[in-house]
Amino acid sequence: MIPPPPPPPQSYEGGIGGEPGNEAHGGYTYCGLAALCLLDRCQALDIPSLGSWVAALQAPFEGGYAGRTNKLVDGCYSFWQGAVLPLLDRYAPSNARATDTRTEQRPDQDLSPETLAARALVHSLAVRLEAAEKLEAKAEAAYSSAVHAQNDAAVSNLQHAARTAQHASQRLREGLDRARSQVAAVAHGAAALVATGLPGAPAAGRDVAQGSVCAQSLQVWLLAACQELRGGMRDKPGKAPDYYHTCYCLAGLAVSQAWSGVVVGGPCNALPTVDLRCNVRADALADARAWFSGR
């Protein structure tokens, strides 16, 4: 008699690691869950714990997913993490409902894509300003120390560095003020659209969240932050686009659209459906199966 396979290495967090005892990771979680779905063995997992872990890793401000606890968001996890709840919803439907750990509406789910993008810009500038102010403080401290030590050679260089840091901080403060004004203006315009019922208004009160994640926020993150204007998609702003992130950002966008029924930006942004277990276009997978079944 063939013994049953050992349980998957699901960590105390709820996700799956590379081996027993390892930290839960988005990539291993998707691969482990997809394999179990192919084997029809999803019941081997603690489904509520898995769903809660995935939902907690969607950043409430950016809208994208982190791959591990206490890590930054990364565009590729839009698929690795973003496909987990849809997999559970389809292949373990009786248990997937347990992932609804937060039934209240997320505060940003009814905001327009323009508002979310403007808020993302504010967040990015605020982070950069904080770093610039720390650098400015260090430069000022080093300059003061050089003056106190009467180190003329260092004083000149450090004075220039301190002034450069001051100018950088000031530019970021001005940019942050402009971005905050943009958020207010966009939010005011969206509110006016909702009040008048004009086309283009965000859906007032519509629940676009599936389970405890927000599809609209994820798609805005991918389109506004992960898309490079010259082409391709990336980890996050400041990173260069590459084939890997282009593949998995687009896959995550396709999964989000198909699962939620929401297509941010309208039909022009709609992508073909992918098979959740294989990350292959559903029509291509059907053609492959038909070809192999005929041999």
Side-chain angles (χ1 to χ4, degrees):
M1 181 178 178
I2 301 175
Q10 190 170 10
S11 79
Y12 71 93
E13 298 169 279
I16 297 174
E19 59 185 36
N22 278 12
E23 179 184 19
H25 184 281
Y28 288 116
T29 297
Y30 167 80
C31 292
L33 175 60
L36 289 171
C37 290
L38 288 167
L39 296 169
D40 195 22
R41 280 186 49 82
C42 292
Q43 66 274 15
L45 291 170
D46 179 348
I47 301 295
S49 176
L50 173 58
S52 296
W53 176 74
V54 170
L57 288 180
Q58 186 182 22
F61 191 93
E62 294 93 334
Y65 283 98
R68 291 178 286 161
T69 303
N70 291 328
K71 293 293 183 178
L72 297 175
V73 293
D74 182 332
C76 70
Y77 292 110
S78 301
F79 175 76
W80 297 123
Q81 301 281 41
V84 169
L85 291 182
L87 274 169
L88 294 178
D89 199 29
R90 179 165 182 179
Y91 296 101
S94 61
N95 292 319
R97 302 282 72 76
T99 63
D100 294 343
T101 55
R102 292 171 290 175
T103 57
E104 72 276 8
Q105 287 189 344
R106 289 178 58 144
D108 60 356
Q109 69 185 40
D110 290 324
L111 296 178
S112 68
E114 293 81 5
T115 301
L116 291 171
R119 285 179 54 184
L121 176 61
V122 168
H123 175 69
S124 174
L125 287 170
V127 171
R128 290 168 59 192
L129 177 58
E130 182 181 3
E133 288 177 337
K134 289 179 180 178
L135 182 62
E136 180 183 354
K138 288 181 179 179
E140 287 287 354
Y143 171 67
S144 298
S145 296
V147 171
H148 185 264
Q150 297 183 344
N151 186 340
D152 294 337
V155 164
S156 177
N157 291 333
L158 290 171
Q159 185 178 35
H160 176 72
R163 287 176 178 172
T164 300
Q166 287 175 346
H167 292 158
S169 296
Q170 183 58 35
R171 286 195 299 272
L172 284 169
R173 290 188 193 97
E174 293 170 355
L176 185 58
D177 287 342
R178 288 194 298 271
R180 283 173 173 158
S181 298
Q182 181 183 356
V183 169
V186 171
H188 177 75
L193 284 173
V194 171
T196 57
L198 292 175
R206 182 182 178 196
D207 183 6
V208 298
Q210 295 288 330
S212 52
V213 298
C214 182
Q216 187 182 33
S217 296
L218 176 61
Q219 291 181 38
V220 169
W221 158 254
L222 287 168
L223 295 170
C226 294
Q227 185 172 203
E228 168 61 48
L229 294 179
R230 294 169 296 177
M233 303 190 82
R234 57 194 176 186
D235 170 343
K236 59 177 66 69
K239 301 287 187 178
D242 56 64
Y243 290 115
Y244 169 82
H245 284 91
T246 298
C247 170
Y248 289 105
C249 285
L250 287 174
L253 186 60
V255 169
S256 176
Q257 291 175 352
W259 187 50
S260 67
V262 174
V263 179
V264 170
C268 64
N269 284 338
L271 295 175
T273 302
V274 300
D275 184 89
L276 292 169
R277 298 167 298 177
C278 307
N279 190 24
V280 175
R281 277 181 51 159
D283 55 349
L285 185 60
D287 290 343
R289 283 174 172 161
W291 189 85
F292 281 107
S293 65
R295 293 182 66 85

